[in-house]
Amino acid sequence: AADPAVCAAALQLISLRCERLLDPLATAPRAFRPQLWRACALEPKLLGDRRDSVLGEFSKVAPRTAKGSGPRRGGSVAAQRRGSAASRRGSAAAAAAEAAARLLGTDVDSLVRAVTTRKVVTVGEEIIKPMAPDAATASKDALAKFLYQRTFDWLVARINTTIGQDASAQCFIGVLDIYGFESFETNSFEQFCINLANEKLQQHFNGHVFKKEQEEYEKEEIDWSYIDFVDNQDVLDLIEKRLGIVAILDEQCVFPKADASTLAESLYSRFTGKDKGANDPTDRFSKPKRSNLQFTIRHYAGDVTYSTDYFLEKNKDYLVPEHQAMLEASSADHVRELFPKPEPEPDHKPGKAGGRGGKRGGFKFSSVATNFKRSLVALMETLHATEPHYVRCIKPNMAQRPADFEPANVLHQLRCGGVLEAVRISCAGYPSRRYFHEFVARFKMLAREKADAAGSDDRKAAAAVLADLEERITDIEGYQLGKSKVFLRAGQMAVLDKLRSEMMHKAATAIQKNVRRQIAQKSYHEVKEANLVMQKYTRGMLARRRAAHLRAIKAALYVQTCWRRWLAMRNLRVHRDAAIRVQANYRGHMARKAARAQRRDLAALRIQSRWRGSTTRASYQRKRQATITLQCALRARKARDELKKRKAEARERGALEGAKKSLEARLEQMQFQIELQRKLKEEAIAERTREVEQANRVMEEQLARAKEEQERAVARAKAEAEAKALAEANDAAALAAAEAEREAANGRIAVLQADRDNLAARVEMLEGKLKEADERAANAEAGKRDADERVRSIGDSLKELEAHNRGLAEENYMLKAKAQLSGGGGGGGGTDGGGARRALLGGAAADAGEALALRARRSSTFGAMERAADVEALLGCVGGDVGFSAEGRPVAAVLVFKSLMHWRSFEADRTNVFDRVIMVISSAVDQHTDDNRTLAYWLTNTSTLLHLLQRTLRTSGAGGGAARSRSRSINLLRRWKDSFTGPGGMAAPPPAPGAGSPIKDGGEMVVEAKYPALLFKQQMTAFVEKIYGLLRDNVKKDVTPLLQQCIQAPKPDRRGASKSGAADGAQWSGIVGHLDTLLETLRANHVPAFLTDRLLKQVFSFMNVQLFNSLLLRRECCSFSNGEYVKTGLAELESWVHKAGDASDGSGGVWDELKSIRQAVTFLVIHQKPKKSLDEITHDLCPTLSIQQLYRISTMYWDDRFNTETVSAEVLGNMKMQMQEENASTHSNSFLLDDDNQIPFTIEELSKQFGDLQGESDDVVVPQALGELPEFEFLKAQGA
């Protein structure tokens, strides 16, 4: 049971102010803090699992008591309702209303409506009537009192329940703590109620004392007379009777215009008027002379003057139906518990519901004084049914100082508390009483002979003792003997105690005399014996002193001898040390002299060697620089000769092509050599690393085996030697064999050490080769730089040669045209005719040149505008969902690729077509990041377009062979030639600079891509990875809530059904449904099977990580029944995987991603775990799981169905040893799995999975929006 002080401290927490509620220990009075500490320490015990409810109650009480907060501003709320909505919302009253509504679990409008309006019920309708500000303030105060009362009652009930009070118990122990009568300068309604309770308790106390005395006398059957005591029933009648003060107070509370003055006048007219004799016969009520609002009651403890101010307000206890309805509908559970729905009341007749004609509802009046009187009646009934014991606490002084006693104050407290009256009642009878055996045991010594003569009858013995004392002492008279006790008058017990003390004093004196005599005798004998001992030790001391003197003389002689010897030895050591120091200094001088000479010689040799090395290096540098200069001059001369030679050869067309071929061949050869050197370097480094690691591993294994063999041989030899020694056999042979084996083991160790030395030498050799490879690589890098410079110079030469080649081609074309004109004109005509033809040829050539230049200018001016319109039309079409072809090819990707190929955008140095395409795709993806269907559609298009780019585009510097270079040269010349004559012999515009046509490379179209095209390819790669990641994250987000529920089986309730109300396995079915939806979406959008397989594998890997980590982190999941539940769900997933694999989507391999959770669940549900060995567990049952994971599952396992045990202690010990070894060798010992969020494929892998789209893409149907445009006729031509 809880301490009463703790209960009082818990109750005090409610009545503190808001700041003390928030921190009661810091702001409570110093004298009250120990009880608060104990209350806070017992808070979990008092409140239990309802701690949140208690904090909710404190949060409601705090706004009521805080300064300027909570419902105390209800009046201002009512006043603010007349303002505009904006001002009311921004006012302090609105903030207070919002805070109160939040704490009470209701909305602001309901709270304001309940406080500021009243519902008037008439016949057939209800009227909502606003209240005046004063009425709203009263309504607010009523709500606060109502809330405080219910909270206080709830806390008291919780404390009574916590301390273990049993309502059905027949016996109990209760503590009633009350302060006492209160009388202050101003006494109000509270002091009136407290003094009424004290009057009641004082009446019960007087009656109980009198009744107890009477029962005691009647039980012992002694003669006694009635004892008169003061009765305060007249005070109680004045207050409680039918027309008493409480009744008049309740009557005044009913009147709407009653106040303190009307109450005082009613009391004066009732108890001081003409009927005073009948209403107050004992003159307990009086009116003060100088006040018309006060009255005086003569209580048991004295006169107390009460002020009628606030009597009516404090006595009213309104229960507003609107408040009750609002609090019943609260969203907070603890508020609804405090204000349950009341029992339905019987219908009242019209006209008695309060008001006129039953048309008015509102306050339901309840008197505080009447309720308090009922509580007092119930308390008195409880006290009358129990056996009370009274404890009176006296306050020694009002200043609370130690060792300070105020007699007047204490006497007043004793008189007010009825203690003096109780003592008077007790002294009027027989206050001193003892049982017979106690009396005889205590006072038998006063008349021992007569008491012994009475025998074993205690009553007779007590009577004999009292009779003897009565004869000798006149004060012992008027006593009586009951059945079991002796009853004495006041003061007689003190006389008996005094006689007993005197007799005890005499007996103590006799005992002290005898004890002192015995102590003196004992002391004399001890002194005598000590004297003899002292004499003996004195004689011994004198003898020892004589012997010490003789020994001192002998010691002095010995000291003198030692002193003389020490002086001689000291002189010897001084001379010897001096000689040694002289020798040491001389030898050191000679040694330092020799060292200086040696250092001087060495310095001279070092200077000479460095000087010779410097001169040699300088000579070598001069010769090397001269050689390099000579080589450069020779090479420059040869290069100039070669340049002259090549310039001469460049005048002819065949020589030019040969030079280009040779230069390109040399360039490719140099690139090949550089690449080969790089690969050789990497292979050498990798080979050296592998050989070093292999050598170290082999050497460590051989050394370990050798050590183990040696230890086994030594142990075997020792064991055999001990066995043979015990058998008393000849151990010489065994020792020889053991020695031979030890020598053999040493030999093997020596061989292994030799192997280790060989391996070390081999490692050094490999390091040397690596250094040589590094040097070769450095030389190759230098050669590469030289080759790059030469390539740049050759490129410049090629540009000049190409310009020259174009001039030669133009000249050749003009010559051919002249020849055709001269041949077609016939042989007629002479000199004039030939001149005319030449003039005509010159004019035609000039006209052709002008037309060519005009077409080039027009194409360069209007080409960009026409291309921008075509791009807008294309992007407007493919920006939506244009679907797929009959073979499942994405139409948008194929259209974009064909258009870019036709426009030769991949060969352009500058273009914004790629940026427009990227913007369209990015806009479509960003607007539908949560739509898996849209993401799947764009994943198919972007991956297909990326595959086409990967297969078609080639970089210009990657090398394509001499054939490709030759084809580029031929195509360049052909395009230049065709630019003069288009189809049908018409002149065609020249191509844009740097443009070229696709090249057939192994049956595939290959385009030399420029930088924008390569950048577009990289952006498409990023888009494929982004869309794939978004689609994967959406699937993970959908299955994550279901995975949290799948890891643990639903627990059944008392009726046998699961708590969630759903059948077991509903979460797994939900996951399967999500997977079916995902697979259908991917199939509908023709996502490649390779991407589908990778996506499902990552989703299943995520499910494996989540389920497995949850299993390891939650012990309630590592049970037998939970393992069966997870195993059933995994079976559903397995059936789905097989069904999806049969559909030929490539999803059959995703089942292996769940191997960790599958093996863990198999371990949970397997039987006879203690019989399994560690080898069976790690190799047969759970080969994938680590030792840490197996140890975690084994220690957390518990069988909630068959109550079986986990693995044996031996297996756990082996697991622990392996864990320690692995922890020592590795840095990480985490047993959890990590989720892999990387992209699980590369562009090369994705491109390999696609088929031949070149032929299939030609069958794509052109959308109608593009088919109607003449600029996209090439799409139809390609499809045909």
Side-chain angles (χ1 to χ4, degrees):
D3 195 305
V6 177
C7 298
L11 295 176
Q12 184 68 13
L13 289 174
I14 296 179
S15 61
L16 292 175
R17 299 182 65 83
C18 179
E19 58 272 15
R20 295 191 177 182
L21 277 170
L22 299 177
D23 192 5
L25 295 178
T27 58
R30 184 178 301 275
F32 196 65
R33 290 181 184 177
Q35 288 80 2
L36 284 179
W37 275 111
R38 298 174 64 188
C40 294
L42 288 178
E43 178 192 358
K45 180 179 178 182
L46 289 174
L47 306 181
D49 56 353
R50 301 298 303 274
R51 185 176 185 274
D52 296 336
S53 300
V54 174
L55 295 179
E57 300 309 318
F58 285 170
S59 66
K60 294 194 294 298
V61 175
R64 176 66 183 88
T65 57
K67 296 181 179 179
S69 64
R72 296 181 67 92
R73 299 186 182 181
S76 61
V77 171
Q80 292 287 343
R81 283 179 60 86
R82 296 192 296 270
S84 62
S87 61
R88 183 167 62 251
R89 193 176 300 111
S91 63
E98 290 177 0
R102 184 178 66 257
L103 294 173
L104 295 177
T106 183
D107 55 322
V108 179
D109 295 336
S110 298
L111 177 60
V112 173
R113 191 184 310 113
V115 174
T116 61
T117 62
R118 282 294 169 266
K119 180 171 65 175
V120 180
V121 180
T122 61
V123 179
E125 63 176 346
E126 295 181 355
I127 300 174
I128 304 301
K129 180 181 178 182
M131 302 172 64
D134 296 339
T137 303
S139 176
K140 176 262 299 180
D141 294 338
L143 175 60
K145 292 171 65 178
F146 193 33
L147 178 64
Y148 189 91
Q149 174 189 353
R150 291 295 181 90
T151 305
F152 187 86
D153 294 341
W154 178 87
L155 182 58
V156 172
R158 286 295 299 172
I159 292 176
N160 291 335
T161 304
T162 304
I163 63 178
Q165 182 176 358
D166 188 3
S168 61
Q170 297 180 357
C171 300
F172 68 94
I173 298 175
V175 177
L176 175 62
D177 183 14
I178 189 167
Y179 181 78
F181 285 94
E182 290 187 354
S183 179
F184 305 117
E185 293 181 2
T186 301
N187 300 292
S188 185
F189 182 73
E190 294 85 355
Q191 285 73 35
F192 178 77
C193 294
I194 292 173
N195 292 339
L196 174 59
N198 280 280
E199 288 285 355
K200 279 279 189 180
L201 293 175
Q202 185 63 41
Q203 185 188 33
H204 179 269
F205 174 72
N206 294 337
H208 172 71
V209 172
F210 173 72
K211 182 178 178 181
K212 187 175 180 181
E213 290 287 332
Q214 181 180 359
E215 290 177 354
E216 183 76 15
Y217 297 157
E218 291 177 353
K219 180 181 177 181
E220 294 294 334
E221 297 180 356
I222 63 174
D223 296 333
W224 65 286
S225 59
Y226 179 78
I227 304 173
D228 188 16
F229 63 93
V230 178
D231 190 6
N232 59 345
Q233 183 61 40
D234 52 352
V235 181
L236 298 175
D237 292 340
L238 176 67
I239 297 174
E240 295 181 329
K241 67 181 182 178
R242 185 165 175 262
L243 296 177
I245 297 177
V246 173
I248 295 174
L249 179 61
D250 294 343
E251 180 184 4
Q252 290 293 320
C253 288
V254 175
F255 296 151
K257 294 185 178 180
D259 54 5
S261 60
T262 59
L263 174 61
E265 290 176 0
S266 299
L267 293 177
Y268 297 157
S269 63
R270 176 69 180 173
F271 300 109
T272 61
K274 59 181 179 179
D275 297 332
K276 177 179 180 343
N279 298 329
D280 185 18
T282 58
D283 199 14
R284 292 283 188 172
F285 184 91
S286 61
K287 176 183 178 301
K289 296 181 180 180
R290 297 183 180 180
S291 175
N292 293 326
L293 297 177
Q294 294 180 350
F295 63 92
T296 302
I297 297 178
R298 183 161 51 87
H299 287 284
Y300 178 84
D303 294 343
V304 179
T305 300
Y306 299 98
S307 176
T308 57
D309 291 333
Y310 304 108
F311 254 63
L312 298 178
E313 290 81 358
K314 295 178 180 179
N315 188 47
K316 294 177 183 180
D317 188 9
Y318 292 113
L319 176 59
V320 182
E322 286 79 0
H323 297 173
Q324 179 70 26
M326 177 192 66
L327 296 175
E328 288 174 2
S330 173
S331 61
D333 296 337
H334 54 274
V335 177
R336 292 197 301 272
E337 181 183 355
L338 289 177
F339 303 96
K341 293 184 178 180
E343 297 294 334
E345 298 180 357
D347 296 337
H348 297 283
K349 295 181 180 181
K352 294 184 178 181
R356 292 172 292 184
K359 295 183 181 180
R360 182 172 183 175
F363 295 104
K364 294 182 180 180
F365 174 70
S366 177
S367 173
V368 175
T370 303
N371 294 334
F372 186 74
K373 186 170 67 174
R374 293 196 195 101
S375 300
L376 283 179
V377 172
L379 176 62
M380 299 311 297
E381 290 176 356
T382 303
L383 292 177
H384 286 303
T386 58
E387 182 181 354
H389 298 272
Y390 291 89
V391 177
R392 295 292 183 177
C393 298
I394 304 301
K395 192 173 184 179
N397 58 80
M398 301 305 292
Q400 299 182 0
R401 293 191 302 269
D404 188 2
F405 191 82
E406 297 177 358
N409 186 21
V410 172
L411 182 61
H412 177 70
Q413 294 181 54
L414 293 175
R415 184 179 292 110
C416 292
V419 177
L420 297 182
E421 183 65 20
V423 172
R424 186 188 66 79
I425 294 173
S426 179
C427 292
Y430 296 92
S432 301
R433 61 202 69 178
R434 292 269 185 168
Y435 286 100
F436 290 140
H437 64 276
E438 295 178 357
F439 185 83
V440 172
R442 184 171 181 83
F443 300 110
K444 182 179 180 180
M445 64 180 64
L446 300 179
R448 184 175 298 277
E449 294 80 3
K450 294 185 178 181
D452 292 338
S456 59
D457 190 353
D458 293 335
R459 192 175 189 280
K460 293 181 179 180
V465 171
L466 289 172
D468 183 70
L469 292 175
E470 189 176 4
E471 293 177 357
R472 292 186 294 161
I473 304 173
T474 58
D475 294 337
I476 304 301
E477 59 183 7
Y479 63 88
Q480 293 195 28
L481 299 177
K483 289 184 176 182
S484 61
K485 295 182 181 179
V486 176
F487 292 87
L488 301 175
R489 292 289 185 178
Q492 292 180 356
M493 184 62 70
V495 175
L496 294 178
D497 286 336
K498 181 179 179 181
L499 295 175
R500 180 176 176 273
S501 299
E502 292 176 353
M503 185 168 289
M504 293 287 289
H505 181 71
K506 293 178 180 178
T509 302
I511 292 171
Q512 291 175 359
K513 176 184 66 177
N514 294 325
V515 170
R516 288 170 181 165
R517 179 177 59 82
Q518 184 180 2
I519 292 173
Q521 289 178 355
K522 183 178 179 181
S523 176
Y524 170 74
H525 290 296
E526 290 177 353
V527 170
K528 182 178 179 181
E529 292 177 359
N531 190 15
L532 295 176
V533 172
M534 185 175 292
Q535 291 176 0
K536 177 179 68 174
Y537 281 106
T538 301
R539 295 188 185 99
M541 181 189 65
L542 293 175
R544 285 190 296 276
R545 186 179 296 174
R546 175 64 179 170
H549 178 68
L550 295 176
R551 283 196 295 271
I553 293 174
K554 183 178 180 180
L557 294 176
Y558 181 75
V559 168
Q560 292 175 0
T561 303
C562 293
W563 170 254
R564 296 188 184 100
R565 181 180 62 190
W566 178 81
L567 289 177
M569 291 177 65
R570 187 184 66 176
N571 294 331
L572 177 61
R573 282 196 298 272
V574 169
H575 290 86
R576 186 183 63 184
D577 293 341
I580 290 173
R581 282 196 296 273
V582 171
Q583 293 175 359
N585 291 332
Y586 177 75
R587 291 169 183 167
H589 170 70
M590 297 303 294
R592 285 190 293 274
K593 184 177 179 181
R596 283 195 298 271
Q598 188 176 2
R599 283 197 299 272
R600 185 170 58 252
D601 295 341
L602 289 175
L605 291 175
R606 191 178 296 112
I607 292 171
Q608 292 174 1
S609 63
R610 291 189 178 181
W611 167 253
R612 295 186 185 113
S614 174
T615 55
T616 304
R617 282 191 297 273
S619 176
Y620 169 74
Q621 293 292 339
R622 287 193 300 272
K623 293 178 180 180
R624 182 173 179 273
Q625 187 65 31
T627 303
I628 291 173
T629 304
L630 180 61
Q631 290 176 354
C632 291
L634 292 175
R635 289 170 183 166
R637 184 175 179 180
K638 289 182 179 180
R640 285 191 293 273
D641 295 342
E642 184 69 19
L643 179 60
K644 292 178 181 179
K645 183 178 178 181
R646 290 183 180 181
K647 285 182 178 180
E649 292 177 352
R651 296 188 182 95
E652 298 180 0
R653 185 173 181 178
L656 177 62
E657 292 180 353
K660 288 178 64 177
K661 293 177 184 178
S662 61
L663 289 174
E664 289 177 353
R666 291 181 61 185
L667 177 61
E668 292 177 354
Q669 184 179 4
M670 292 178 66
Q671 291 178 351
F672 175 77
Q673 290 179 357
I674 293 171
E675 185 70 17
L676 181 61
Q677 290 293 336
R678 185 180 63 80
K679 291 184 178 180
L680 288 176
K681 179 180 178 181
E682 293 177 354
E683 291 176 357
I685 294 173
E687 181 65 23
R688 188 193 72 167
T689 304
R690 287 195 298 271
E691 288 180 356
V692 170
E693 292 178 353
Q694 183 67 20
N696 291 332
R697 186 162 54 252
V698 170
M699 181 174 61
E700 290 175 356
E701 292 176 355
Q702 291 179 354
L703 288 175
R705 285 197 299 270
K707 290 182 180 179
E708 290 177 357
E709 290 177 359
Q710 182 181 9
E711 291 175 356
R712 284 197 298 269
V714 173
R716 188 164 55 250
K718 290 182 179 180
E720 291 175 358
E722 291 175 357
K724 292 178 181 179
L726 293 174
E728 296 181 355
N730 189 9
D731 56 350
L735 292 175
E739 187 66 24
E741 290 180 358
R742 187 174 65 81
E743 291 176 357
N746 292 332
R748 287 194 293 271
I749 292 174
V751 172
L752 292 175
Q753 290 178 352
D755 294 339
R756 185 183 64 180
D757 297 336
N758 294 333
L759 290 174
R762 188 175 179 183
V763 168
E764 293 178 356
M765 180 182 68
L766 291 175
E767 290 179 352
K769 291 182 178 180
L770 180 61
K771 291 180 180 179
E772 294 177 0
D774 293 337
E775 293 176 357
R776 289 196 299 271
N779 296 332
E781 189 69 19
K784 180 181 178 182
R785 288 194 296 269
D786 297 336
D788 292 337
E789 294 177 358
R790 295 179 63 186
V791 165
R792 284 195 295 272
S793 62
I794 290 170
D796 297 336
S797 302
L798 285 176
K799 291 180 180 178
E800 296 176 359
L801 292 175
E802 285 177 356
H804 183 64
N805 192 9
R806 284 196 296 272
L808 293 177
E810 291 176 359
E811 184 179 356
N812 189 17
Y813 179 77
M814 296 299 295
L815 291 174
K816 287 183 179 181
K818 291 179 180 181
Q820 291 177 359
L821 292 175
S822 62
T831 306
D832 296 335
R837 285 192 296 271
R838 286 193 296 271
L840 179 62
L841 178 63
D847 294 338
E850 292 177 359
L852 179 63
L854 179 61
R855 291 182 60 184
R857 286 194 297 271
R858 288 180 179 178
S859 62
S860 61
T861 304
F862 300 104
M865 298 177 61
E866 295 175 355
R867 187 66 52 78
D870 297 344
V871 170
E872 289 293 336
L874 175 64
L875 296 181
C877 180
V878 301
D881 188 355
V882 295
F884 301 85
S885 65
E887 294 79 13
R889 300 302 178 186
V891 176
V894 174
L895 293 179
V896 171
F897 176 76
K898 288 184 177 182
S899 301
L900 295 178
M901 287 289 293
H902 178 73
W903 295 333
R904 294 182 179 177
S905 300
F906 299 122
E907 303 172 68
D909 292 327
R910 293 182 181 179
T911 180
N912 62 346
V913 178
F914 302 131
D915 296 335
R916 300 297 306 278
V917 174
I918 291 298
M919 289 175 62
V920 170
I921 299 175
S922 176
S923 176
V925 171
D926 293 339
Q927 291 177 3
H928 303 86
T929 54
D930 295 331
D931 188 4
N932 291 341
R933 191 194 66 79
T934 304
L935 294 178
Y937 170 80
W938 284 109
L939 179 61
T940 305
N941 281 275
T942 53
S943 60
T944 304
L945 183 57
L946 179 61
H947 166 66
L948 295 173
L949 296 176
Q950 177 74 13
R951 197 175 62 176
T952 304
L953 300 185
R954 293 292 185 272
T955 57
S956 60
R964 189 179 303 168
S965 302
R966 288 194 297 272
S967 63
R968 286 198 299 268
S969 302
I970 295 171
N971 291 331
L972 178 64
L973 296 175
R974 186 181 295 115
R975 289 196 302 271
W976 181 82
K977 181 179 179 181
D978 293 339
S979 64
F980 291 96
T981 59
M986 297 300 293
S997 63
I999 304 170
K1000 287 287 185 176
D1001 188 4
E1004 296 180 356
M1005 299 299 295
V1006 179
V1007 175
E1008 292 293 337
K1010 298 298 182 179
Y1011 176 76
L1014 298 178
L1015 182 60
F1016 176 67
K1017 178 183 174 183
Q1018 294 178 0
Q1019 291 174 339
M1020 292 307 302
T1021 304
F1023 262 104
V1024 171
E1025 295 177 353
K1026 175 183 177 181
I1027 298 173
Y1028 176 88
L1030 290 174
L1031 189 59
R1032 177 194 59 197
D1033 294 340
N1034 289 342
V1035 178
K1036 289 183 179 180
K1037 182 172 63 177
D1038 292 337
V1039 301
T1040 297
L1042 297 175
L1043 290 176
Q1044 298 298 329
Q1045 302 175 7
C1046 288
I1047 191 57
Q1048 186 174 6
K1051 296 182 180 178
D1053 56 9
R1054 297 179 179 176
R1055 297 174 295 180
S1058 61
K1059 291 184 179 180
S1060 60
D1064 293 344
Q1067 294 81 8
W1068 294 101
S1069 301
I1071 293 178
V1072 171
H1074 281 294
L1075 294 176
D1076 287 333
T1077 304
L1078 174 64
L1079 192 57
E1080 291 175 1
T1081 303
L1082 297 179
R1083 289 174 180 174
N1085 291 277
H1086 300 282
V1087 177
F1090 174 76
L1091 294 179
T1092 302
D1093 181 61
R1094 290 296 188 270
L1095 179 61
L1096 291 177
K1097 283 186 177 180
Q1098 280 206 321
V1099 172
F1100 272 68
S1101 176
F1102 172 77
M1103 295 165 60
N1104 178 64
V1105 171
Q1106 294 296 321
L1107 293 174
F1108 187 78
N1109 291 344
S1110 300
L1111 186 69
L1112 295 185
L1113 294 175
R1114 298 166 59 182
R1115 187 178 185 275
E1116 63 271 15
C1117 298
C1118 290
S1119 63
F1120 184 88
S1121 61
N1122 195 68
E1124 290 185 342
Y1125 172 74
V1126 179
K1127 187 176 181 181
T1128 303
L1130 292 177
E1132 294 185 21
L1133 289 181
E1134 185 178 8
S1135 63
W1136 181 89
V1137 168
H1138 291 314
K1139 182 176 68 175
D1142 294 338
S1144 299
D1145 285 330
S1147 57
V1150 300
W1151 180 243
D1152 293 335
E1153 298 297 330
L1154 298 175
K1155 54 187 176 181
S1156 297
I1157 186 63
R1158 286 194 290 116
Q1159 294 179 8
V1161 170
T1162 303
F1163 180 78
L1164 290 178
V1165 300
I1166 194 172
H1167 296 282
Q1168 297 181 352
K1169 292 183 181 64
K1171 296 183 179 180
K1172 301 294 181 182
S1173 63
L1174 182 59
D1175 186 73
E1176 294 178 352
I1177 295 174
T1178 55
H1179 293 86
D1180 298 336
L1181 295 177
C1182 308
T1184 304
L1185 304 183
S1186 63
I1187 292 297
Q1188 290 86 352
Q1189 295 168 350
L1190 289 173
Y1191 183 81
R1192 177 79 176 182
I1193 298 175
S1194 301
T1195 53
M1196 294 177 63
Y1197 171 78
W1198 60 288
D1199 193 351
D1200 55 342
R1201 182 171 298 177
F1202 304 104
N1203 199 20
T1204 59
E1205 298 293 333
T1206 184
V1207 297
S1208 61
E1210 181 181 0
V1211 174
L1212 288 175
N1214 294 335
M1215 288 183 180
K1216 195 170 183 180
M1217 291 176 60
Q1218 291 191 15
M1219 286 172 56
Q1220 293 176 355
E1221 294 176 359
E1222 292 180 2
N1223 293 339
S1225 60
T1226 59
H1227 298 286
S1228 176
N1229 56 357
S1230 176
F1231 53 82
L1232 299 179
L1233 299 178
D1234 295 329
D1235 187 18
D1236 185 13
N1237 290 324
Q1238 297 181 355
I1239 302 300
F1241 58 85
T1242 60
I1243 305 305
E1244 289 75 15
E1245 293 177 352
L1246 179 62
S1247 182
K1248 290 179 181 178
Q1249 300 300 325
F1250 278 85
D1252 186 10
L1253 298 180
Q1254 194 68 32
E1256 297 176 2
S1257 61
D1258 294 336
D1259 299 331
V1260 174
V1261 178
V1262 181
Q1264 185 178 1
L1266 295 180
E1268 296 176 355
L1269 299 176
E1271 291 82 3
F1272 294 91
E1273 290 293 330
F1274 65 93
L1275 297 176
K1276 298 181 180 179
Q1278 292 178 2

